[in-house]
């Protein structure tokens, strides 16, 4: 995200710095924030829109695909191909595909961590998913807000417009039980392997 000083913002708008300060006092074109020293900073895209220019979309288009387990490799490939085809058909440039295998409640997946780093670095222009739970089972809305804060667009191909609260809670409960069961059976299998090795 490119931030401009008050002088740079005034130059973009072809107005005097004093005019910009007056606009601030009037509540027009408020600064995005201030530096530690108290200097105003403006978002370049906001200034460009005020000047009548379209905001520049900077960064790559990230297609993120996820499946719950490693034995769903074929489904993961199908999901990634669908996302990439959609982005190509839409004419998006600089397309990157990130994939993960693991639970939707696991925040430590390699691809997810790389995606978050790219978003926070301002390198993501848009994030494309098949469904929002392919990103995370719980907490995807937070990541969407972070993406939007850094000027990234979120596209969900199979967005469900009206899911009831009961259905959401049921799906969350099923996911929690699935994760709990897999961890329980995973720990049992490790104990069995250790017992066989002894």
């Amino acid at each position: 995200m490119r931030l401009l000083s008050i002088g740079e913002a005034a130059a973009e708008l072809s107005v005097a710095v004093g005019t910009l300060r007056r606009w601030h006092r009037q509540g027009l074109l408020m600064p995005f924030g201030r530096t530690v020293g108290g200097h105003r900073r403006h978002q370049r895209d906001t200034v460009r829109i005020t000047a009548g220019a379209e905001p520049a979309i900077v960064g790559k288009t990230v297609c993120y695909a996820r499946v719950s387990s490693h034995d769903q490799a074929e489904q993961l490939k199908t999901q990634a191909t669908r996302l990439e085809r959609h982005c190509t058909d839409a004419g998006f440039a600089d397309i990157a595909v990130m994939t993960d295998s693991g639970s939707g409640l696991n925040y430590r997946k390699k691809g997810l961590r790389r995606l978050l780093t790219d978003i926070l670095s301002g390198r993501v222009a848009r994030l494309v998913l098949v469904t929002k739970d392919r990103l995370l089972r719980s907490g995807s809305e937070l990541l969407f807000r972070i993406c939007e804060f850094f000027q990234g667009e979120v596209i969900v191909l199979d967005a469900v417009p009206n899911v009831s609260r009961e259905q959401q809670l049921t799906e969350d409960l099923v996911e929690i039980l699935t994760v709990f069961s897999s961890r329980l059976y995973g720990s049992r299998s490790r104990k069995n392997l250790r017992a066989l090795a002894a």
Side-chain angles (χ1 to χ4, degrees), residues 98-198:
M98 295 184 186
T99 59
D100 269 325
S101 293
S103 165
L105 294 175
N106 178 1
Y107 288 77
R108 296 184 302 273
K109 296 183 293 293
K110 219 187 291 188
L112 181 63
R113 283 160 58 181
R114 196 170 86 224
L115 171 64
L116 186 55
T117 300
D118 281 355
I119 291 170
L120 294 173
S121 302
R123 293 193 292 260
V124 177
R126 65 184 59 80
L127 170 62
V128 188
L129 308 161
V130 172
T131 58
K132 78 172 192 173
D133 71 336
R134 290 301 89 197
L135 183 64
L136 287 167
R137 249 321 169 173
S138 177
S140 57
E141 293 296 335
L142 174 61
L143 207 55
F144 293 168
R145 295 294 82 78
I146 292 170
C147 194
E148 287 167 11
F149 179 81
F150 285 96
Q151 311 305 308
E153 178 186 11
V154 178
I155 299 170
V156 181
L157 302 187
D158 296 341
V160 182
N162 294 312
V163 178
S164 68
R165 181 124 175 90
E166 291 77 15
Q167 187 177 343
Q168 287 177 353
L169 290 171
T170 303
E171 288 173 3
D172 290 346
L173 183 59
V174 168
E175 180 70 18
I176 290 166
L177 290 172
T178 303
V179 171
F180 177 76
S181 299
S182 64
R183 285 186 180 173
L184 178 65
Y185 292 124
S187 70
R188 284 183 181 171
S189 65
R190 283 194 296 275
K191 285 178 187 173
N192 290 340
L193 287 172
R194 280 197 298 269
L196 289 172

Side-chain angles (χ1 to χ4, degrees), residues 11-32:
E12 286 260 352
L13 294 166
S14 301
V15 298
V17 171
T19 301
L20 207 48
R21 287 199 176 104
R22 189 176 74 249
W23 289 354
H24 296 165
R25 288 193 299 274
Q26 293 170 345
L28 305 170
L29 191 63
M30 296 304 291
F32 176 74

Side-chain angles (χ1 to χ4, degrees), residues 36-60:
V36 176
H39 300 288
R40 297 173 176 94
R41 290 293 180 263
H42 290 270
Q43 281 185 293
R44 186 159 196 259
D45 284 349
T46 305
V47 172
R48 284 175 58 85
I49 290 167
T50 304
E54 286 296 314
I57 295 177
V58 180
K60 60 188 173 184

